[in-house]
Amino acid sequence: MSNPLAGLSVGAAYGSARPSSLEGPPGERTTRVSGDDWDLEETKPCVEALERGLPGFYLSCFDMLLTDDATWLLKLSEASPAIPVPVPTSAAAAAAMAMATEPDREEPEQCPVIDSQGQSLSPGGLGGPEEERSLEQVQSMVVGEVLKDIETACKLLNITPDPIEWNQANVQKWLLWTEHLYRLPHAGRSFQDLSGRDLCAMSEEDFLQRSPQCGDTLHAHLDIWKSAAWMKERCSISDAKTTGGEELWSEADSSCSGQPIHLWQFLRELLLKPHNYGRCIRWMNKEKGIFKIEDSAHVARLWGLRKNRPAMNYDKLSRSIRQYYKKGIIRKPDVSQRLVYQFVHPV
DNA sequence: AAGTAGGAGGTAT
DNA sequence: ATACCTCCTACTT
């Protein structure tokens, strides 16, 4: 309950943390293009290492990311002097998350999940509960490490965590940083004239257009930052809630209720936080409950994150919305517009 | 191309 | 049974 990250799914990033028997449901109709993206090698040892106290959790991928080449630092220092040496503690986790958040790249049918809805704070019993608990530890640890990394990067680059606030120079710094961290070819020039807001509005295709080699990777990493901003917001809200008591948020936020969240609740949560999600979903007429999905892919991704469904997309999300027509929860407004829906019972 | 609509079969609780 | 998730076809914008 006080865990601000309960209900947050980073399970996708650790796709194979569950036994392989869960790898895919029987009877699925399409072939899984490639499961490799969802299998972090040596996950099991990693989890075990975690349980033992963790040092070197990310080591298998970490050494690859370390480098003594510091030329990038020189470039960066032009913009922000006196920078400490960065230590990307959770670079591997971030990379894994990048894969997970990248929308529909390969559409894995189903990947094993860490169910973050299960409020399994049950005392460490045997077998199942124990495993559940350790998976939760993994989850929150990954989230924590990713947030920490981003915080470090922010201090280092002197930029804000939320990409939307970046100016052109900030964007360049972030690009340089990301390119260095993940050894990507330089593409900064292709993004020269863009603010953070521009960047956030760009689809993966836009990224690829500007940088065919690594546009997809950059887009995925930006997604991590966006998601992190989202998580951070949740944290602060949760903290505020525990100190401040029950108010408006508690009614809207279902992440603490223990019940699996419904899609309509989730959409309303997003709508109630325009500061964070106004870019992807917003009220057109709050009184009438009419809202517009501005960025269908992003909303779908958020929903997939929340439900541990990495293969979620707008096609599926919208199908679920359409199931609400019959139930009288959501409908199309009288004047039907693309991506515009209406709550039948607005609050 | 992306969105809309709804059938059909599947999973998880 | 409920609430999706996934896949699909047909149609519209």
Side-chain angles (χ1 to χ4, degrees):
Chain A
M1 176 177 186
S2 60
N3 176 9
L5 296 167
L8 252 177
S9 329
V10 284
Y14 281 84
S16 56
R18 283 250 177 112
S20 54
S21 59
L22 289 176
E23 194 145 285
E28 288 290 356
R29 271 166 278 183
T30 8
T31 32
R32 195 167 150 179
V33 189
S34 157
D36 294 345
D37 282 350
W38 301 86
D39 297 328
L40 285 182
E41 74 282 358
E42 306 298 315
T43 304
K44 207 175 165 206
C46 284
V47 174
E48 281 164 6
L50 260 180
E51 283 169 340
R52 273 184 269 117
L54 141 25
F57 177 46
Y58 301 119
L59 276 181
S60 58
C61 312
F62 186 49
D63 51 358
M64 165 184 104
L65 293 157
L66 284 175
T67 170
D68 13 45
D69 163 24
T71 50
W72 65 278
L73 262 176
L74 295 171
K75 294 180 200 163
L76 276 173
S77 58
E78 291 165 35
S80 31
I83 335 176
V85 177
V87 181
T89 45
S90 67
M97 220 170 149
M99 292 191 288
T101 50
E102 197 152 5
D104 309 331
R105 202 183 175 162
E106 309 229 304
E107 278 261 331
E109 266 329 288
Q110 163 72 309
C111 94
V113 295
I114 297 169
D115 183 9
S116 52
Q117 307 287 356
Q119 315 284 304
S120 47
L121 293 167
S122 49
L126 294 156
E130 184 104 271
E131 190 193 334
E132 283 269 73
R133 211 186 42 172
S134 71
L135 291 177
E136 273 200 3
Q137 287 172 354
V138 172
Q139 267 183 277
S140 47
M141 193 163 290
V142 172
V143 173
E145 290 302 315
V146 169
L147 291 178
K148 229 187 284 171
D149 271 359
I150 287 178
E151 216 173 281
T152 307
C154 287
K155 278 183 198 152
L156 189 69
L157 305 175
N158 191 25
I159 59 177
T160 62
D162 193 349
I164 201 113
E165 297 171 18
W166 296 346
N167 61 25
Q168 295 178 7
N170 296 156
V171 169
Q172 287 303 308
K173 281 198 250 180
W174 175 80
L175 280 167
L176 212 53
W177 161 266
T178 308
E179 286 162 2
H180 167 78
L181 214 55
Y182 301 97
R183 301 202 164 174
L184 306 171
H186 292 297
R189 282 167 300 285
S190 329
F191 297 81
Q192 232 159 17
D193 45 342
L194 296 168
S195 69
R197 188 171 291 273
D198 298 327
L199 213 59
C200 288
M202 282 168 64
S203 67
E204 188 182 342
E205 284 68 35
D206 297 331
F207 267 82
L208 278 168
Q209 213 164 35
R210 290 184 184 251
S211 171
Q213 295 152 295
C214 59
D216 51 349
T217 311
L218 288 171
H219 181 258
H221 282 294
L222 184 66
D223 256 356
I224 294 175
W225 282 68
K226 287 189 197 169
S227 300
W230 177 61
M231 292 176 195
K232 263 206 146 127
E233 178 59 31
R234 290 183 71 92
C235 282
S236 59
I237 287 294
S238 251
D239 289 344
K241 195 182 153 190
T242 48
T243 55
E246 318 292 311
E247 19 46 71
L248 21 107
W249 173 255
S250 57
E251 204 224 340
D253 179 22
S254 353
S255 62
C256 299
S257 73
Q259 288 293 102
I261 189 173
H262 290 190
L263 175 57
W264 64 268
Q265 294 176 307
F266 179 75
L267 293 173
R268 214 168 55 182
E269 279 181 22
L270 299 188
L271 284 160
L272 289 174
K273 306 193 78 7
H275 177 70
N276 299 296
Y277 308 114
R279 303 192 289 276
C280 59
I281 186 170
R282 66 178 177 85
W283 291 115
M284 289 186 81
N285 185 332
K286 193 173 179 183
E287 289 65 45
K288 290 185 180 170
I290 299 173
F291 63 95
K292 175 163 188 179
I293 295 172
E294 300 280 2
D295 184 341
S296 58
H298 192 201
V299 173
R301 201 160 47 244
L302 291 173
W303 176 234
L305 256 167
R306 182 63 168 268
K307 291 290 294 287
N308 272 336
R309 291 330 266 219
M312 182 52 61
N313 57 27
Y314 181 68
D315 182 38
K316 295 168 192 169
L317 184 150
S318 65
R319 183 69 191 93
S320 292
I321 291 180
R322 291 196 294 277
Q323 302 282 19
Y324 287 146
Y325 294 173
K326 252 202 212 166
K327 298 177 188 167
I329 296 171
I330 289 177
R331 66 183 183 92
K332 272 299 210 181
D334 297 326
V335 268
S336 181
Q337 296 172 71
R338 280 190 151 207
L339 297 168
V340 177
Y341 297 92
Q342 177 172 16
F343 284 105
V344 174
H345 303 293
V347 225

